[in-house]
Amino acid sequence: MRKRTYLRLAEQQEEQARRHLEEVREIYKEMRGYKHDFHHHLQTLKVQMEAGETDRALEYIRQLDRELQNVDVLMKTGNLTVDAILSPKLSRARAEDIAVEVKAHVPGELLLTGVELSIVLGNLLDNAIEACREAVGERYIRIFLGLKGNMLYFHMLNSAGPKKSKLGSLFSTGKAGAHGFGLYRAQAILKEHGGWCKFNSEEGAFTSEFLVPGTVAVSESK
């Protein structure tokens, strides 16, 4: 019974990750569309200004501004999949007045699949946003993501509420069911790839950290 439940929840996690990636790919398509249309917008404004139609040009600019405000700010880490995972999560954090700082640079190809990356990064970011909602005072998320040799290293510090107690190797999240299972899955995926993760809870702050093989080691022999 436990194995069937595990497999069912794992399938749900993977399906949610696939849907999330597809949603963000649509955002990228929309952004490419804006880039393609940019030249046409400039030509329209140029014609209006040359014709002395200042009010009409200003209204055109206001309309463009309203449309652009509905497009999420996209990350540029060097890896499109990582960008697709981080962008909407961090956009949601900013929308909740959470200060976000990110230093991230990763190669275009990683050993973790897109679905695995979505499960691992997605769950850690969801937990950080949830913790920030409980914080008193400044609310922030600070992320570093990059390579250490051939290893992918992630470190995140975020504001939080009271210090949490550990449940096994993890911490309680304030939510039950599949949400807690998501953290377990993230930890399991990292271990499956020979990596590790650490979590630390202090009064007002929470730290998440992991190290996992990121790229295929290049042989020195010719």
Side-chain angles (χ1 to χ4, degrees):
M1 179 64 72
R2 270 191 239 173
K3 184 175 181 180
R4 286 201 298 271
T5 301
Y6 176 88
L7 291 174
R8 178 175 56 80
L9 289 172
E11 288 173 359
Q12 289 177 357
Q13 278 272 313
E14 292 179 4
E15 181 57 32
Q16 289 172 359
R18 290 190 187 96
R19 285 201 303 269
H20 170 72
L21 290 175
E22 187 57 38
E23 288 171 359
V24 181
R25 288 190 185 104
E26 291 301 315
I27 294 175
Y28 271 88
K29 288 179 183 177
E30 186 176 355
M31 288 296 291
R32 286 197 296 268
Y34 275 104
K35 183 178 179 180
H36 179 267
D37 293 339
F38 186 68
H39 177 72
H40 299 297
H41 294 317
L42 288 179
Q43 288 299 313
T44 300
L45 287 169
K46 181 181 178 182
V47 170
Q48 291 173 343
M49 293 300 293
E50 288 176 346
E53 299 177 345
T54 307
D55 291 341
R56 188 176 176 186
L58 288 172
E59 178 55 34
Y60 193 87
I61 291 170
R62 283 192 286 268
Q63 181 181 347
L64 287 176
D65 185 55
R66 286 194 295 270
E67 291 180 4
L68 287 171
Q69 286 177 4
N70 292 326
V71 179
D72 288 339
V73 177
L74 301 179
M75 296 294 302
K76 294 183 179 179
T77 66
N79 183 291
L80 290 177
T81 299
V82 173
D83 294 345
I85 296 165
L86 293 182
S87 294
K89 298 288 186 183
L90 297 180
S91 178
R92 175 157 59 92
R94 292 187 181 101
E96 297 188 26
D97 295 323
I98 299 170
V100 175
E101 295 179 20
V102 181
K103 293 182 180 179
H105 183 72
V106 293
E109 297 294 332
L110 294 170
L111 291 182
L112 291 174
T113 68
V115 171
E116 289 172 332
L117 281 167
S118 185
I119 292 172
V120 173
L121 294 176
N123 277 289
L124 295 183
L125 286 165
D126 283 344
N127 288 339
I129 292 171
E130 178 190 331
C132 285
R133 292 175 183 146
E134 302 175 1
V136 176
E138 182 186 8
R139 303 200 300 173
Y140 60 85
I141 296 175
R142 297 167 188 160
I143 296 173
F144 174 83
L145 179 64
L147 286 183
K148 288 190 173 185
N150 293 319
M151 305 293 284
L152 181 66
Y153 176 69
F154 173 91
H155 182 275
M156 178 169 64
L157 173 67
N158 57 268
S159 55
K163 182 176 180 178
K164 293 185 179 294
S165 301
K166 270 193 172 183
L167 297 174
S169 60
L170 301 174
F171 288 86
S172 59
T173 64
K175 293 184 180 180
H179 185 81
F181 178 78
L183 275 184
Y184 175 81
R185 281 284 290 147
Q187 185 181 57
I189 287 169
L190 294 169
K191 287 185 176 181
E192 285 171 8
H193 285 275
W196 54 259
C197 58
K198 294 180 181 178
F199 304 104
N200 186 52
S201 177
E202 299 293 340
E203 190 72 23
F206 193 90
T207 304
S208 305
E209 185 179 24
F210 71 73
L211 188 73
V212 67
T215 61
V216 179
V218 179
S219 174
E220 295 181 0
S221 61
K222 297 183 179 178

